[in-house]
Amino acid sequence: RSLGVEAGAAVGFPLFLAQAVSIAFYITGFSEAVVALAPALDPRWVGLATLAGLGLLAMFSADLTLRTQYGVMVLVALSLVSIYAGSAPDPAAVVQPSPRLGFWPVLAVYFPAVTGILAGVSLSGELARPSRALPLGTLAAVGVSYLIYLSLALFINNLSIAPDVLIGDTMLIQKLAHVGLLVLLGLWAASLSSAVGCLLSAPRTLQALANDRVVPLFLGLLFMYFVANS
């Protein structure tokens, strides 16, 4: 909006599509993690049930959905405590090194880890003072994420784990944690949290586009109907 309808539409519509598609990716990641522990389950049905549950929760009450983020924060905090309380894993439990990947595959894995800070921007309508809360919240999210990533890198470096092991074993963090289950719960919670953020932010982005007549207005009115009934 600050750049005008033309530029805003060029940014806003791809943003809405990205947020909508991201829901499927986050839920797929969660489903595959669940199936890894329970191979008898079908990841497609797990994903479908997860999507239905989150969708109903978002339609029932956006406020209640946002409150679930407090539980997510607790689980992530517990997983970090478990990691910092851990030690170098048993070499016999580590996966053998795999071939090194190029820049783009690594970026594809890493990039989504730093996009969650934008969720607050799309949910500005829930804030009492968005002009103050958004800058502080976004900068705080970037700062806290940076400190966590940096501290994890330094912690793992102090364990003197071979670089090939770091590359080859994608679940190494779980194996070095004091309680590996907490790491899994933190990963699941973070995946669902990201999916919930997109479920709430994508319709609001579409509503803003509809109000500016970039997309048919009935789409924005449909969203307002669901919000009014939740």
Side-chain angles (χ1 to χ4, degrees):
R1 258 177 203 164
S2 300
L3 299 175
V5 176
E6 292 82 3
V11 174
F13 194 70
L15 175 62
F16 161 72
L17 292 177
Q19 291 170 335
V21 173
S22 294
I23 300 171
F25 284 114
Y26 289 127
I27 291 179
T28 299
F30 170 77
S31 303
E32 290 182 352
V34 171
V35 172
L37 289 182
L41 298 176
D42 189 328
R44 295 171 296 181
W45 287 109
V46 174
L48 184 60
T50 303
L51 177 60
L54 295 179
L56 290 174
L57 179 62
M59 289 180 60
F60 175 74
S61 174
D63 183 64
L64 177 61
T65 306
L66 289 173
R67 291 181 184 277
T68 61
Q69 303 301 304
Y70 292 109
V72 170
M73 184 174 63
V74 170
L75 288 176
V76 172
L78 290 176
S79 67
L80 289 173
V81 171
S82 177
I83 292 171
Y84 292 129
S87 57
D90 183 0
V94 175
V95 175
Q96 295 298 318
S98 61
R100 293 176 180 268
L101 298 176
F103 173 79
W104 292 110
V106 174
L107 178 64
V109 174
Y110 176 75
F111 183 76
V114 295
T115 57
I117 59 173
L118 300 176
V121 178
S122 299
L123 298 175
S124 59
E126 306 293 333
L127 301 173
R129 298 177 59 188
S131 60
R132 173 178 172 81
L134 282 178
L136 291 178
T138 301
L139 291 175
V142 174
V144 171
S145 300
Y146 173 76
L147 291 176
I148 291 175
Y149 287 148
L150 180 61
S151 63
L152 280 174
L154 295 175
F155 173 73
I156 295 174
N157 180 69
N158 289 333
L159 297 179
S160 300
I161 300 175
D164 287 341
V165 174
L166 292 174
I167 296 173
D169 195 340
T170 57
M171 295 303 294
L172 181 66
I173 293 291
Q174 179 193 3
K175 295 171 183 176
L176 64 84
H178 186 67
V179 180
L181 179 61
L182 288 177
V183 175
L184 283 179
L185 293 177
L187 289 173
W188 293 354
S191 298
L192 291 180
S193 173
S194 298
V196 167
C198 290
L199 271 171
L200 294 177
S201 60
R204 283 165 170 78
T205 304
L206 183 63
Q207 181 194 24
L209 292 169
N211 290 340
D212 291 339
R213 308 282 182 171
V214 175
V215 297
L217 185 60
F218 77 88
L219 294 176
L221 295 176
L222 184 63
F223 168 75
M224 293 176 64
Y225 169 78
F226 284 116
V227 170
N229 284 276
S230 64

